[in-house]
């Protein structure tokens, strides 16, 4: 009865608010970027139910990429709370500051475990497969409301404050905010176009017959390298699993699928530690923390990623077969 489309519309409206802030300050490139992104979230509803053609979304994606690539977004100074206000609120609320953040996973858990089983008139209350996503959206709304209530005694309550502060953070992150969606689509494109099959053909022609260790190394290294390229181990997984994981490690060497694929994902996560393409892990934190070196997180993670990849190779070889 309730699907997740309302959440996409809420995200779209939030991006449109960001476009409004940019336009008011004559940042027309940024206004166009956020407006197109927001309209895409809303328009997609009609594309999914086939009441509107998809080609305008394709044009919007190209324009969004062009605006980001040519640095047209700019930065908009948005007045939120002052440093003194934040210090006062922090000293007053202390550990209570974590309550809004904790509300998000709590509400999502409640929706995923309890609300998902509720039926009305014999029909499920939530659309199939949307319980967690709907819970995430409701949790974000609840967390915002709780934050407003908590800030009231600290003297910082303004109804427009969540939009102002959210837009400030959004524009601090910049174009990287769309990278997870783009990379997810890239993974689907790779899988649909048969990249995994092509890689499997190349690997089968190079990989010596009967060499289990070399096959494990190729699979784990391939997961890490494709993750570095695509920025997402979940996008790399179908490519390398179709190429090496399933036909070679499972079918040919009779590996345990649960162990092989779980450790393969861990090998991919080693690549996540090494790539700026994983913007939400490696670039966004540096921006939000205002680090001088935007690649500081990656440099700090490299000494962990490399030995961890070696350990994953050893674990798969020793325990997966």
């Amino acid at each position: 009865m309730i699907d997740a489309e309302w959440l996409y519309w809420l995200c779209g409206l939030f991006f449109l608010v960001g476009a409004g802030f940019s336009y008011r300050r004559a940042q027309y490139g940024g206004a166009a970027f956020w407006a197109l992104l927001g309209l895409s979230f809303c328009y997609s509803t009609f594309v999914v139910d086939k009441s509107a053609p998809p080609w305008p979304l394709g044009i919007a994606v190209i324009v969004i990429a062009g605006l980001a690539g040519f640095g047209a977004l700019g930065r908009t100074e948005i007045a939120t709370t002052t440093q003194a206000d934040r210090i006062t609120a922090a000293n007053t609320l202390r550990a209570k500051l974590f309550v809004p953040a904790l509300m998000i996973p709590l509400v999502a858990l409640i929706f995923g475990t309890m609300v998902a089983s509720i039926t009305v008139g014999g029909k499920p209350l939530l659309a199939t497969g949307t319980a967690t996503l709907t819970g995430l959206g409701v949790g974000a709304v609840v967390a915002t409301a709780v934050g407003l209530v908590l800030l009231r005694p600290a003297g910082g309550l303004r109804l427009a404050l969540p939009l102002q502060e959210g837009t400030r953070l959004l524009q601090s992150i910049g174009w990287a905010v769309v990278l997870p969606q783009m990379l997810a689509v890239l993974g689907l494109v790779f899988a649909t176009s048969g990249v995994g099959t092509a890689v499997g053909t190349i690997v089968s022609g190079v990989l010596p017959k009967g060499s289990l260790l070399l096959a494990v190394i190729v699979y784990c290294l391939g997961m890490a390298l494709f993750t570095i390229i695509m920025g997402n181990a979940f996008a790399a997984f179908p490519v390398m699993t179709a190429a090496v994981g399933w036909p070679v490690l499972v079918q040919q060497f009779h590996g345990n699928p649960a162990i092989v694929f779980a450790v393969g994902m861990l090998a991919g996560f080693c690549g996540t530690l090494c790539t700026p393409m994983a913007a939400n892990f490696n670039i966004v934190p540096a921006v939000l923390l205002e680090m001088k070196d935007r690649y500081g997180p990656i440099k700090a993670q490299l000494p962990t990623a490399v030995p961890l990849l070696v350990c994953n190779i050893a674990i798969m070889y020793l325990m997966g077969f």
Side-chain angles (χ1 to χ4, degrees), residues 105-119:
L106 177 61
V107 173
L109 179 64
I110 292 173
F111 268 73
T113 57
M114 299 180 186
V115 180
S117 61
I118 296 176
T119 59

Side-chain angles (χ1 to χ4, degrees), residues 116-155:
S117 61
I118 296 176
T119 59
V120 178
K123 297 181 179 180
L125 178 64
L126 303 178
T128 303
T130 65
T132 302
L133 186 59
T134 301
L136 178 65
V138 174
V141 174
V142 171
T144 302
V146 171
L148 286 171
V149 172
L150 285 176
L151 284 172
R152 182 183 297 275

Side-chain angles (χ1 to χ4, degrees), residues 22-268:
S22 295
Y23 183 81
R24 287 175 58 186
R25 289 161 176 79
Q27 293 285 351
Y28 300 119
F33 180 91
W34 299 116
L36 284 172
L37 185 59
L39 292 173
S40 296
F41 269 72
C42 300
Y43 182 80
S44 297
T45 298
F46 305 107
V47 174
V48 171
D49 66 16
K50 301 186 184 304
S51 61
W55 60 264
L57 282 179
I59 295 176
V61 169
I62 294 173
V63 175
I64 287 172
L67 290 170
F70 287 104
L73 272 68
R75 288 289 298 273
T76 302
E77 294 297 329
I78 299 175
T80 58
T81 54
T82 65
Q83 185 70 8
D85 291 334
R86 296 178 186 180
I87 293 175
T88 301
N91 291 334
T92 303
L93 298 173
R94 296 185 178 273
K96 292 181 181 179
L97 287 171
F98 293 99
V99 173
L102 294 175
M103 292 301 299
I104 299 176
L106 177 61
V107 173
L109 179 64
I110 292 173
F111 268 73
T113 57
M114 299 180 186
V115 180
S117 61
I118 296 176
T119 59
V120 178
K123 297 181 179 180
L125 178 64
L126 303 178
T128 303
T130 65
T132 302
L133 186 59
T134 301
L136 178 65
V138 174
V141 174
V142 171
T144 302
V146 171
L148 286 171
V149 172
L150 285 176
L151 284 172
R152 182 183 297 275
L157 177 60
R158 292 201 308 270
L159 293 179
L161 184 59
L163 291 175
Q164 292 172 335
E165 182 63 19
T167 302
R168 186 189 68 82
L169 289 174
L170 182 68
Q171 297 195 4
S172 295
I173 297 171
W175 62 266
V177 75
V178 303
L179 199 53
Q181 293 94 322
M182 296 294 187
L183 293 175
V185 173
L186 180 62
L188 291 174
V189 171
F190 272 33
T192 304
S193 60
V195 173
T197 303
V199 173
T201 302
I202 296 173
V203 170
S204 61
V206 175
L207 195 66
K209 297 293 184 181
S211 178
L212 173 60
L213 177 60
L214 189 56
V216 169
I217 292 174
V218 168
Y219 181 56
C220 291
L221 282 179
M223 279 295 301
L225 290 175
F226 267 94
T227 301
I228 290 173
I229 295 171
M230 304 169 75
N232 192 324
F234 291 96
F237 181 77
V239 175
M240 287 307 302
T241 298
V244 181
W246 180 256
V248 179
L249 296 181
V250 175
Q251 290 189 321
Q252 182 177 337
F253 291 106
H254 308 291
N256 184 322
I259 297 176
V260 169
F261 298 148
V263 177
M265 283 298 297
L266 292 175

